[in-house]
Each structure stands twice: as structure tokens, then as C-alpha cells.
Amino acid sequence: MNLIVDVGNTFVKFAVFSQNRLNFKQSFELSHFKERYQHLKKRFPKLKSAIVSSVGKLPDDHLRLLQKDIDVLLLNHQIELPFINSYSTPKTLGVDRIALVSASVNQFPNHDVLIIDAGTCITYDFISNKNEYLGGAISPGIRLRYKSLNDFTANLPLLEKSIPENITGNSTESSIHSGVVMGVTKELDGVIDNYLLKYPDLKIILTGGDTEFLGNQLKNSIFANANFLLEGLNFILEFNSSNK
């Protein structure tokens, strides 16, 4: 059994895989790490290996707690990866993007794949059918767009995301919803269209926190998978375990 530990800036995700199948996942604040891990150990006593992906900072004592019980792999650009990394600054490539690309290699081998992670930021990652990661793009996510309108103006309110009823907003709130949500969906479709011109057999993956919100609003055909990052982390762990 494998334990996946995905550490964000505020929240942590635990996921348990057995024979490449997701058995369990939960999300919680970092302050509850030790308590949640103790409960997890009791529920899954056969945990053997773990991978830690940390966008935020996992405290050393938390890491030692894991290492005391199981073999731990720390995800960074220096470990062996299941693809050719042609990113010009590999040290700055986020571990979340590494995991997403790894998942695509596992699930769509020998295909051109575009992975779109719609979270705090929207990231685009492209890997060719020759198993070469070429890079992508980063833009503000939905929540960031709403927040920036509130932060950098005097009078615009901070709203929760909502699908606009009409492209023409007839109030300040409906205009914000139209501008933010329509802007994001048109950006996504525009990026996908540009890739399809060059790679007509492209596989397109949509993942991240806004997957469900955005999935039905895009005109292009996509594979929606909210667990794609976790699956990629598990594949990296399995890949490194088999190459020991």
C-alpha cells in the first residue's frame, strides 16, 4: 500500500493506493497532520511506502514522523522521472506539474497530451508523443481573478464563483461573473484550439479544484479527472520503487 502526501500552502491531502487503485483520500489543515496520520496508520496498517509532494513547507518533525514508519520518497526535480524533462529551468518546475505530467505518461503513453490544472492558478503542461515534456503556461485561476478585482479596485465586491446566466451582465455582480467565468472558459478553449492546430490527435486532461465547475462549459472534448495529480504521484512512487 502506498501513501500519497500532497502538501499545499494551507491544506494537506492524504491518499492511499493499493494496486494502483485509489482507496482513500482526505484533505485537512496542516496543523492537524500528526493527529490525522495516527488515525490513518490505524486504518491502514499495511502502508509500506510514501511520496511527499510539498508546494508548501512540511515541517521536519512531520517528515520524521513518516520516515519512522515507512519508506519516504521526497518529490523534486532530481529524482528519476518517467519522462524526458526539457524544461529550461527544471529547478523551478513545480512538483504538482511534475506529478500531472507523470500521470499523463502512465495513462496516455505515446500521445500528445495537454494537462490543464484549474486551481489557484491555471497551469497548462504539454508532453509530446515522444515522451518529452516541453513546458506550458501559467495564468490566474478563477478565485484569483475574483479576488484581484476586489483587491485592486475601490468599489468592486468579492464574489463567490457562479456560472453567468448571460454574457451581458446587467448589474455589477453579473458583469463580474460574466467577465471572470467567460474569460476563463474562452481562454481555455482558445489555448486548446491553438494546440489542436499543431497536434490534431491531442489528448486533453482537465483537473484541479475547478474541474467540475468548468468541465461542462468548454466546447472542446476533454477528460475530466479530479484525482489526476494523486494518480501521478502514485505512479512516480511506483516508478522509482521498480527502478531501485
mmCIF file of all heavy atoms in Angstrom, residues 26 127 182 234:
data_model
loop_
_atom_site.group_PDB
_atom_site.id
_atom_site.type_symbol
_atom_site.label_atom_id
_atom_site.label_comp_id
_atom_site.label_asym_id
_atom_site.label_seq_id
_atom_site.Cartn_x
_atom_site.Cartn_y
_atom_site.Cartn_z
ATOM 1 N N GLN A 26 -8.293 12.253 1.832
ATOM 2 C CA GLN A 26 -8.862 13.259 2.720
ATOM 3 C C GLN A 26 -8.007 14.516 2.659
ATOM 4 O O GLN A 26 -6.822 14.463 2.319
ATOM 5 C CB GLN A 26 -8.953 12.762 4.166
ATOM 6 C CG GLN A 26 -7.631 12.528 4.839
ATOM 7 C CD GLN A 26 -7.760 12.161 6.316
ATOM 8 O OE1 GLN A 26 -6.775 11.894 6.972
ATOM 9 N NE2 GLN A 26 -8.950 12.138 6.858
ATOM 10 N N ILE A 127 3.101 17.459 -23.032
ATOM 11 C CA ILE A 127 4.099 16.413 -23.237
ATOM 12 C C ILE A 127 3.834 15.767 -24.588
ATOM 13 O O ILE A 127 2.682 15.480 -24.946
ATOM 14 C CB ILE A 127 4.099 15.373 -22.103
ATOM 15 C CG1 ILE A 127 5.232 14.363 -22.322
ATOM 16 C CG2 ILE A 127 2.747 14.690 -21.948
ATOM 17 C CD1 ILE A 127 5.630 13.613 -21.077
ATOM 18 N N MET A 182 -16.554 33.744 -18.138
ATOM 19 C CA MET A 182 -16.434 33.710 -19.599
ATOM 20 C C MET A 182 -14.980 33.887 -20.023
ATOM 21 O O MET A 182 -14.508 33.253 -20.969
ATOM 22 C CB MET A 182 -17.305 34.790 -20.238
ATOM 23 C CG MET A 182 -18.789 34.568 -20.089
ATOM 24 S SD MET A 182 -19.399 33.202 -21.114
ATOM 25 C CE MET A 182 -21.160 33.357 -20.838
ATOM 26 N N ASN A 234 1.358 8.697 -7.265
ATOM 27 C CA ASN A 234 1.465 7.248 -7.026
ATOM 28 C C ASN A 234 2.313 6.582 -8.105
ATOM 29 O O ASN A 234 3.115 5.685 -7.823
ATOM 30 C CB ASN A 234 0.074 6.627 -6.983
ATOM 31 C CG ASN A 234 0.112 5.152 -6.637
ATOM 32 O OD1 ASN A 234 0.533 4.761 -5.545
ATOM 33 N ND2 ASN A 234 -0.302 4.310 -7.569
#
